[in-house]
Amino acid sequence: MSPDRIETSHAGSLPRTPELIAANDARALGPDGFTLERTPEFDELLTAAVADLVRRQEDLGITIVGDGEYGKAMTSAVDYGAWWSYSFQRVGGLSLTGSDIFSQQPVRSGPGDVRLTSFPDRRDWQRFHDAYTDPTSGIGTGSGATPFPSTTGPLTYVGQSAIASDIANLTTGVAAGDATSAFITSLSPGSGARIANDFYATEEEHIWAWAEVLREEYLAITGAGLVVQIDDPSIAENWDQINPEPSIDDYRAFTRIRVEALNHALRGIPPELVRFHLCWGSWHGPHTTDIEFRHIVDLMLEIDAGSYSFEAANVRHEHEWKIWRDVELPAGKTIAPGVVSHATNVVEHPELVADRIEAFASTVGPDRVVASTDCGLGGRIHPQIAVAKLASLGEGARIASHRLFG
């Protein structure tokens, strides 16, 4: 952290170039039906795209840069799930069964028996069924690069070459600029385990298997001196995927298993090389059934990370900055609240961005705040709007830095 300025970052995904989307769309699927094959020509294009992206982030005032998740395939301009579906390319023990979280039958929970239901059976999706099923509503989540598989065998990590490519591309891009640090996103065990499980005896066994597998990716990223951002919307988002609504105590017990599995996967990794990202799901829906941050903020802080990224510009959660008046941020930790949102095409004014930054600075201290985005901008808003939002983020941070540090 800089002693005299507010650092800036984002939540990971940034808009892919048209060339990269077309190149991903042209890639052949392997025999399993969901693994996209790579070619030297594709790898060359990807390397150049990441290098250019790092430079563009720095030009916009972003000081903690990422690879935009460019190594996580998108085959269309709108894709809300690339942060998750990339893992299918890197984990063995998965196969297509014709059943997934979108087509499964609804599941009902009860007291002391909390289980995830299918995505279409989410409580917000049911409450606003007409809006969610109306193609003109703007709520659609786009199309994914691959189908969703199920766990049908013992999980193993097979993504060594893919993560090595991600690391090499970002490292090369950063070497040519002056970014403070750089990060690569990686899936959490709890989020990974939301695919259908047809192999492990229990849901908990499935989660812990994902923890062992994903640890290899975390170690590769941090071993290269980069920060790993753990993408885990499931910590907050799962609340809406439980039908009927559970008690807070039952949900916290359900969630703590996922926190413990993630900490097991992170064991021995320096916390300063770990950033945890929490969100309530990035689709542009009403989100009236989101859990309140106050019910899970302490669970988030139990995760062995040095920094915590979360939605704070989203109008459903912007008011929750006030919880930091009562919640003590542990020593040595920082927060990376979203001060521009992925959920609106309106570009935030830099003065508003500065005000949002100062609200957090007033509660935890300006030296412990990184100004960020709510969630990934890539695949969710138009690239031109995403650039404008990042520019506003950078300018707002400069305004706030002048006010806070002089």
Side-chain angles (χ1 to χ4, degrees):
M1 296 290 290
S2 173
D4 59 0
R5 72 176 182 186
I6 297 293
E7 301 281 2
T8 54
S9 191
H10 55 84
S13 181
L14 294 176
R16 285 25 167 210
T17 64
E19 295 79 11
L20 189 56
I21 290 174
N24 273 315
D25 193 38
R27 293 166 66 186
L29 285 170
D32 60 13
F34 58 86
T35 297
L36 292 166
E37 296 181 346
R38 301 177 73 121
T39 64
E41 294 77 16
F42 173 80
D43 288 341
E44 183 178 349
L45 174 66
L46 178 60
T47 297
V50 172
D52 178 66
L53 178 67
V54 170
R55 178 191 58 77
R56 288 189 283 124
Q57 289 174 73
E58 293 177 350
D59 289 346
L60 291 167
I62 304 303
T63 62
I64 302 173
V65 301
D67 67 349
E69 300 185 10
Y70 275 23
K72 298 171 172 65
M74 280 176 48
T75 56
S76 62
V78 180
D79 180 351
Y80 285 53
W83 63 275
W84 179 6
S85 60
Y86 90 94
S87 65
F88 310 154
Q89 317 284 306
R90 304 186 186 187
V91 177
L94 310 180
S95 60
L96 298 180
T97 63
S99 176
D100 57 38
I101 54 175
F102 299 98
S103 62
Q104 290 171 326
Q105 291 299 306
V107 174
R108 290 292 169 262
S109 295
D113 180 28
V114 174
R115 294 182 290 165
L116 296 177
T117 188
S118 62
F119 265 49
D121 190 49
R122 286 175 171 276
R123 286 180 282 116
D124 198 59
W125 294 27
Q126 289 299 308
R127 181 178 293 183
F128 295 93
H129 177 268
D130 291 352
Y132 274 103
T133 55
D134 184 346
T136 68
S137 67
I139 298 178
T141 55
S143 59
T146 68
F148 270 62
S150 303
T151 297
T152 54
L155 297 180
T156 58
Y157 189 73
V158 296
Q160 290 84 356
S161 62
I163 191 60
S165 170
D166 290 346
I167 290 167
N169 289 338
L170 182 56
T171 301
T172 299
V174 169
D178 56 2
T180 300
S181 65
F183 70 97
I184 290 177
T185 63
S186 186
L187 192 66
S188 72
S191 287
R194 290 196 297 179
I195 65 170
N197 168 34
D198 296 329
F199 179 78
Y200 291 94
T202 65
E203 178 185 57
E204 188 167 350
E205 284 184 29
H206 193 211
I207 294 168
W208 281 83
W210 274 96
E212 288 296 342
V213 165
L214 290 168
R215 174 172 168 78
E216 186 166 342
E217 188 159 279
Y218 305 163
L219 289 172
I221 295 168
T222 56
L226 299 170
V227 171
V228 59
Q229 175 179 295
I230 306 298
D231 278 345
D232 196 5
S234 72
I235 294 294
E237 184 195 319
N238 278 346
W239 171 261
D240 177 56
Q241 201 183 332
I242 298 166
N243 207 341
E245 179 181 306
S247 70
I248 295 296
D249 286 344
D250 275 355
Y251 185 73
R252 286 174 58 85
F254 176 84
T255 301
R256 177 158 276 115
I257 294 169
R258 289 147 178 83
V259 171
E260 292 171 352
L262 174 56
N263 281 340
H264 178 72
L266 292 170
R267 65 191 184 279
I269 298 176
E272 61 269 21
L273 292 179
V274 180
R275 183 166 80 183
F276 178 81
H277 175 63
L278 175 147
C279 79
W280 284 264
S282 59
W283 61 86
H284 299 351
H287 285 274
T288 59
T289 54
D290 287 1
I291 192 170
E292 294 181 50
F293 198 12
R294 64 188 175 93
H295 293 310
I296 56 173
V297 64
D298 61 322
L299 292 174
M300 180 187 77
L301 293 175
E302 288 180 14
I303 294 164
D304 294 331
S307 185
Y308 303 93
S309 160
F310 50 87
E311 292 186 73
N314 182 324
V315 293
R316 190 71 192 179
H317 297 280
E318 184 175 1
H319 67 288
E320 292 180 307
W321 70 268
K322 290 176 284 190
I323 69 172
W324 297 99
R325 293 171 174 169
D326 303 313
V327 174
E328 183 177 357
L329 183 62
K333 309 289 188 178
T334 64
I335 56 174
V339 291
V340 299
S341 180
H342 67 285
T344 175
N345 287 329
V346 178
V347 177
E348 294 81 354
H349 194 285
E351 289 283 352
L352 173 61
V353 172
D355 289 348
R356 287 170 169 170
I357 292 170
E358 290 177 70
F360 285 100
S362 71
T363 57
V364 303
D367 59 332
R368 306 181 75 183
V369 176
V370 174
S372 189
T373 65
D374 274 347
C375 198
L377 303 178
R380 298 172 179 88
I381 58 175
H382 191 277
Q384 196 172 34
I385 297 174
V387 168
K389 283 178 175 282
L390 291 178
S392 191
L393 170 60
E395 179 60 25
R398 283 189 286 271
I399 293 170
S401 295
H402 179 71
R403 293 174 182 170
L404 294 166
F405 298 107

